[in-house]
Amino acid sequence: MNVLLFLIPTALFLGALGLAAFLWSLKSGQYSDLDGAAWRALNDDEDDKPL
Amino acid sequence: MSCCAGGTTVNAAASTDVPSRDAVLHSSQKLDDGRIRTVLAVPDIHCGGCIRKVEGALSALRELEEPRVNLSTKRVVFHWKEDDIDAVPVFAALRRVGYEPNLISPDAIVVDDTRKSLFRALAVAGFAAGNIMLLSVSVWSGADAATRDLFHWISALIAIPTVGYAGRVFFRPALRALAARSLNMDVPISLAILLATGMSIFETWNHGAHAYFDASVTLLFFLLIGRTLDHMMRERARDAVAGLARITPDGATVIGEDGSRHWHPLDEVEAGMCLHIAAGDRIPVDATVREGKSDIDAAIATGESVPITAQEGTTLSAGMLNLTGPLVVEAAKAAKDSFLSEMLRMLDAAEGGAPAYRKLADRAAAVYAPVVHLAALFTFLGWIWVTGDWRQSLFSAIAVLIITCPCALGLAVPIVQVVAASRLFRKGIMLRDGTALEKLAQVDHVVFDKTGTLTVGMPRLQDAGKHGSRVLGIAAALGTNSRHPYSQALAQAAGENNIRPVVGLTDVREIPGEGIEGTLDGERYFLGRSAAGGNGVELRRGDDVLDLFRFEDRMRANASETISALEQQDIACEILSGDNGETVAQAAQALGMTDWRGDLRPADKIARVQALQSMGHKVLMVGDGLNDTPSLAAADVSMVPSKAADIGRQAAGLVFLHEGLDAVTSAVTVAHRAQALIRQNFALAVLYNIIAIPLAVLGYASPLVAALAMSGSSIVVILNALRLNEAASTPFSSIGAWLTRRGARRASGNARHGKHGVATL
């Protein structure tokens, strides 16, 4: 059962990392224009740096 | 790119005006780093090609930084490099690539925080639900003693902050409802979530076997999905409506005593001030003309599509559009006392008088919540009576509350409305509010305005084929230089008949209130008001009359089909118009309608709508003018074309973007179908409860049963709602069709392989 002592924290940490990444992307406005993002993916001459 | 065709049709004559520096500043934001951020609405942006063109055009301007198009909201954001703000190059650059920009009002720029906080709550609940569910699976598969306790404690550590953070979305409206002594769906939801969490903490503390953390957090997650979708639907409609051109100007150019001209925000304009109204601008406040002559489009106030002539002494109402010549007017009233504001006051009064409507979900909750609470109470009493064990009794009662939590019920209505809204959106109809859909399904009487609603509100050349191509070519060439609707109708008629406007016109001059003239091959041509009087527009060479053009207001596409389709569904239709009786009668006859009223003032329209309501009818009002706005609010539900006055768009439940009037029948059909699906979803939720409640009452609702039952019922409800997207019109026919297709495919596959179809079926 000792394996749980580091497996569970690892699992929770990775999950929390995902959550933090999502919250960051939300805060930086990556979900503010979903329709536009779909078109921009097809655009060759544009840099894909988020605003 | 083909979808950008709309971008090239910006009329040269309609796009000469550029907002002044003050107007731009008024609707911009000053950022913390001192830069100024401006947002423009560009409704014509449709696709990736548009993004490139608009951003390319703005990037080429040296005074701007970071132009960025938002395709979802059809807006473009940019920052000014210096304080020196000049909108002229920006507007010119956008118009050169074929897009007409609009300033948007400062309060429309505010970013929507609700959406972000819902997304955050959803993300947190999703994270928590996933992790707790994993821990629960180990408990269900037999973890016991210390391991089980450890898992329960970890679950508690994740669940408690999650419920506290993400649950606020439901707790706040629940508290508001309780404070108002009523029950909405949020009350039983909050109760179930809190009780499940509370009981689980107690169990964990006492080393118990069952903890319901997974149930409470999954519940929260599912319900937040419904809430978020619901919010996104309404937000999308609101953005699209706000992005359209505004009717009320934000301010006016005031001419000082010394002749200086300054732009002032609307609320600083007072009676007695002299205002300059450029051609193409709206009249900001009620005013009297002091100098100049022009044609005025008064449709917004009177509903009439034919422009009136304004000269010294003419009284104008706020919101009217100055078409051809610059005017100097004297403000008669301040903005707060003007025609627009008077309409707003009538609108408020009418809204207050509109029949009260309780949301379907809340009506269901009012029945559902007491039943559930009573069931829990009787479970508790029953267990006490049978066993006398208060702890077991309390647990069974709480299990009843958890398992009957209206998860499916809370999703049943919003999910159908979201699917219906996206279906309507694809047909060019924007649903501003989910309740509009519920009310639309009950409508049995439709009231139409005439000008701009049944008709397009734009004059059209009569008998375009009868005019010579040379004559029409000259008229069209002159007409493209004017903003007058007759001129534009001539230009359009020439285009439709493949007649090219003649080239080589020089010295074109618009004579406000009279017409337009120009020189071609050394001769002077005049297009405009007939010298002999009478309707129509004359084309003259020197003094010779070459031709007389007459105009009519065209019916909207599919108008008569819509009326007959509605009447087939036993929905009565009538016309309420401010236009004169004779014109209204003609329109009614053309559409095959018998019920019409003309010469109505706004108050008469409200009275008629309210009279119908007092007879027990559910009224749908379809109108566009400012004069319709109060009656739009008075009706049970209302629909406006996207060209309507902006306060009309605020008052209406649905806005349709395309020209065809069949939007009305489409909306009614979708509403009926959505209502049927909502009823089915309620039935499914009740069915689920009939199975689940006895289990909970008898004490068999283990956390595993609760988790399976709740997720299962939610998914069934969502899948049922998605059936709205199918073309099938009768319930269950889609399943039938699917089975048939499947059977056919198998049969054909079997035939290919030379087997007997029956054997494998």
Side-chain angles (χ1 to χ4, degrees):
Chain A
M1 282 297 135
N2 284 338
V3 71
L4 289 177
L5 289 180
F6 72 91
L7 270 187
I8 290 179
T10 311
L12 288 179
F13 172 73
L14 288 176
L17 208 63
L19 179 64
F22 173 77
L23 292 179
W24 167 78
S25 64
L26 184 66
K27 195 176 165 66
S28 64
Q30 297 187 27
Y31 290 87
S32 59
D33 181 17
L34 293 175
D35 296 343
W39 280 102
R40 284 174 199 275
L42 304 174
N43 204 341
D44 289 331
D45 51 23
E46 183 179 332
D47 65 37
D48 45 6
K49 178 185 68 161
L51 193 68
Chain B
M1 226 162 271
S2 61
C3 71
C4 286
T8 58
T9 55
V10 174
N11 190 313
S15 54
T16 47
D17 48 318
V18 173
S20 67
R21 180 176 185 274
D22 296 304
V24 174
L25 264 181
H26 185 64
S27 59
S28 299
Q29 286 169 304
K30 190 139 190 168
L31 299 183
D32 294 337
D33 58 3
R35 291 189 305 172
I36 292 168
R37 179 171 175 268
T38 299
V39 185
L40 293 177
V42 188
D44 294 329
I45 299 180
H46 291 299
C47 65
C50 306
I51 297 181
R52 279 172 67 178
K53 276 199 243 166
V54 170
E55 286 184 355
L58 293 182
S59 305
L61 297 175
R62 270 176 296 119
E63 34 302 53
L64 304 186
E65 275 177 343
E66 300 172 16
R68 182 89 182 172
V69 168
N70 187 324
L71 184 66
S72 311
T73 54
K74 306 206 189 298
R75 287 176 184 178
V76 57
V77 184
F78 53 83
H79 301 86
W80 299 89
K81 270 186 193 155
E82 289 147 29
D83 281 352
D84 188 25
I85 286 178
D86 183 11
V88 176
V90 178
F91 275 58
L94 285 176
R95 283 170 184 155
R96 240 191 333 270
V97 286
Y99 297 90
E100 181 62 31
N102 298 298
L103 280 183
I104 51 183
S105 72
D107 45 317
I109 305 177
V110 178
V111 185
D112 179 24
D113 290 330
T114 320
R115 176 177 130 119
K116 278 197 172 176
S117 66
L118 274 172
F119 268 157
R120 273 197 295 270
L122 189 63
V124 170
F127 161 78
N131 281 294
I132 294 176
M133 201 46 93
L134 283 178
L135 293 169
S136 298
V137 170
S138 353
V139 175
W140 297 335
S141 27
D144 60 355
T147 317
R148 190 182 63 202
D149 274 357
L150 174 69
F151 284 1
H152 280 172
W153 275 116
I154 297 173
S155 303
L157 284 181
I158 304 172
I160 295 167
T162 306
V163 168
Y165 177 74
R168 287 180 307 174
V169 175
F170 300 99
F171 301 157
R172 281 208 202 108
L175 282 177
R176 266 203 301 275
L178 288 179
R181 292 177 179 280
S182 67
L183 282 175
N184 59 11
M185 211 51 116
D186 293 325
V187 176
I189 288 173
S190 306
L191 203 62
I193 294 173
L194 287 176
L195 279 176
T197 314
M199 187 177 76
S200 307
I201 296 171
F202 182 80
E203 276 291 88
T204 305
W205 190 270
N206 290 308
H207 310 285
H210 296 312
Y212 289 90
F213 290 118
D214 49 358
S216 70
V217 176
T218 333
L219 188 61
L220 199 55
F221 181 55
F222 271 115
L223 290 168
L224 276 170
I225 294 178
R227 204 48 66 97
T228 311
L229 286 175
D230 186 44
H231 180 79
M232 282 171 71
M233 165 191 93
R234 274 182 285 156
E235 186 191 42
R236 190 172 184 179
R238 202 202 54 201
D239 278 346
V241 171
L244 298 164
R246 289 166 46 80
I247 298 297
T248 335
D250 279 331
T253 311
V254 175
I255 306 174
E257 303 273 313
D258 52 352
S260 63
R261 292 178 177 195
H262 290 291
W263 188 88
H264 286 266
L266 197 59
D267 47 2
E268 288 177 19
V269 175
E270 289 166 16
M273 281 183 167
C274 268
L275 311 174
H276 172 81
I277 315 282
D281 277 359
R282 298 252 171 209
I283 314 289
V285 296
D286 292 358
T288 316
V289 179
R290 276 273 210 79
E291 274 172 44
K293 194 173 183 191
S294 179
D295 296 283
I296 300 285
D297 177 357
I300 209 72
T302 59
E304 292 284 340
S305 56
V306 180
I308 56 174
T309 308
Q311 48 201 354
E312 204 180 324
T314 311
T315 326
L316 302 175
S317 296
M320 291 181 179
L321 179 63
N322 182 15
L323 289 173
T324 47
L327 290 175
V328 175
V329 301
E330 186 183 326
K333 292 174 185 166
K336 62 178 174 24
D337 305 317
S338 279
F339 175 73
L340 278 165
S341 312
E342 195 184 317
M343 279 294 137
L344 276 176
R345 266 196 297 281
M346 276 176 94
L347 175 70
D348 279 345
E351 253 170 3
Y357 183 81
R358 289 187 67 205
K359 279 195 261 176
L360 192 59
D362 286 346
R363 275 183 290 161
V367 181
Y368 187 81
V371 170
V372 168
H373 296 164
L374 281 177
L377 181 68
F378 283 121
T379 309
F380 178 73
L381 294 178
W383 275 88
I384 285 275
W385 186 56
V386 174
T387 63
D389 177 359
W390 71 269
R391 196 178 143 187
Q392 175 66 44
S393 313
L394 197 59
F395 276 14
S396 298
I398 291 177
V400 169
L401 281 180
I402 295 173
I403 210 155
T404 55
C405 173
C407 192
L409 223 47
L411 275 173
V413 179
I415 201 85
V416 172
Q417 285 175 349
V418 166
V419 177
S422 73
R423 193 169 165 74
L424 287 174
F425 197 83
R426 278 196 301 258
K427 294 182 179 202
I429 304 164
M430 245 120 42
L431 183 64
R432 287 173 42 81
D433 184 5
T435 57
L437 203 63
E438 295 172 18
K439 292 187 266 188
L440 197 56
Q442 302 170 354
V443 161
D444 58 0
H445 202 108
V446 187
V447 172
F448 290 96
D449 170 49
K450 186 181 74 71
T451 315
T453 307
L454 286 173
T455 67
V456 178
M458 297 276 279
R460 193 180 156 83
L461 183 61
Q462 263 179 350
D463 307 323
K466 281 191 191 164
H467 300 280
S469 62
R470 170 78 181 160
V471 168
L472 195 52
I474 297 171
L478 281 164
T480 45
N481 291 293
S482 168
R483 213 182 256 122
H484 195 287
Y486 284 170
S487 305
Q488 298 193 346
L490 280 168
Q492 196 192 353
E496 283 168 11
N497 290 287
N498 289 323
I499 295 168
R500 279 174 184 276
V502 295
V503 282
L505 264 181
T506 53
D507 197 16
V508 178
R509 197 166 67 92
E510 184 148 30
I511 311 162
E514 293 296 328
I516 187 160
E517 60 177 8
T519 305
L520 181 69
D521 302 333
E523 287 185 283
R524 201 72 183 146
Y525 287 86
F526 171 86
L527 177 74
R529 191 178 296 276
S530 165
N535 295 327
V537 161
E538 218 169 56
L539 180 67
R540 290 202 295 264
R541 181 174 54 208
D543 287 331
D544 311 332
V545 177
L546 294 182
D547 207 345
L548 179 70
F549 301 101
R550 289 186 179 280
F551 299 89
E552 61 186 349
D553 192 2
R554 179 166 57 95
M555 288 293 164
R556 261 182 200 276
N558 300 324
S560 53
E561 290 88 338
T562 303
I563 303 289
S564 57
L566 285 172
E567 279 172 351
Q568 261 172 25
Q569 295 179 43
D570 283 333
I571 298 175
C573 300
E574 77 174 78
I575 306 180
L576 297 184
S577 177
D579 213 342
N580 66 60
E582 196 188 329
T583 328
V584 183
Q586 275 172 12
Q589 200 187 2
L591 292 170
M593 293 169 75
T594 49
D595 212 356
W596 57 268
R597 280 149 220 264
D599 296 314
L600 297 180
R601 289 172 302 129
D604 302 330
K605 289 194 180 191
I606 301 182
R608 174 65 188 153
V609 168
Q610 285 171 344
L612 284 168
Q613 284 169 338
S614 65
M615 283 188 274
H617 290 295
K618 299 280 179 207
V619 181
L620 163 66
M621 167 96 196
V622 189
D624 74 315
L626 203 53
N627 56 341
D628 299 319
T629 305
S631 36
L632 287 171
D636 291 276
V637 54
S638 49
M639 220 170 150
V640 300
S642 57
K643 289 194 178 67
D646 55 354
I647 56 172
R649 293 200 302 264
Q650 302 296 330
L654 298 111
V655 179
F656 61 101
L657 300 177
H658 299 320
E659 193 209 296
L661 198 65
D662 50 337
V664 177
T665 34
S666 304
V668 170
T669 312
V670 170
H672 278 292
R673 185 131 171 72
Q675 215 58 13
L677 281 172
I678 287 175
R679 272 198 295 273
Q680 284 172 26
N681 271 355
F682 277 143
L684 284 172
V686 169
L687 189 71
Y688 152 79
N689 275 314
I690 290 174
I691 299 168
I693 291 182
L695 285 179
V697 170
L698 297 175
Y700 292 118
S702 67
L704 177 59
V705 171
L708 284 180
M710 282 183 189
S711 321
S713 71
S714 301
I715 290 168
V716 167
V717 166
I718 292 173
L719 289 180
N720 191 40
L722 289 176
R723 294 197 308 124
L724 187 65
N725 271 331
E726 293 174 16
S729 56
T730 55
F732 302 112
S733 69
S734 54
I735 297 175
W738 178 73
L739 285 174
T740 321
R741 273 203 305 278
R742 196 160 159 264
R745 211 167 33 238
R746 278 199 183 184
S748 65
N750 291 336
R752 256 202 315 281
H753 292 107
K755 287 181 191 166
H756 294 290
V758 184
T760 49
L761 285 172

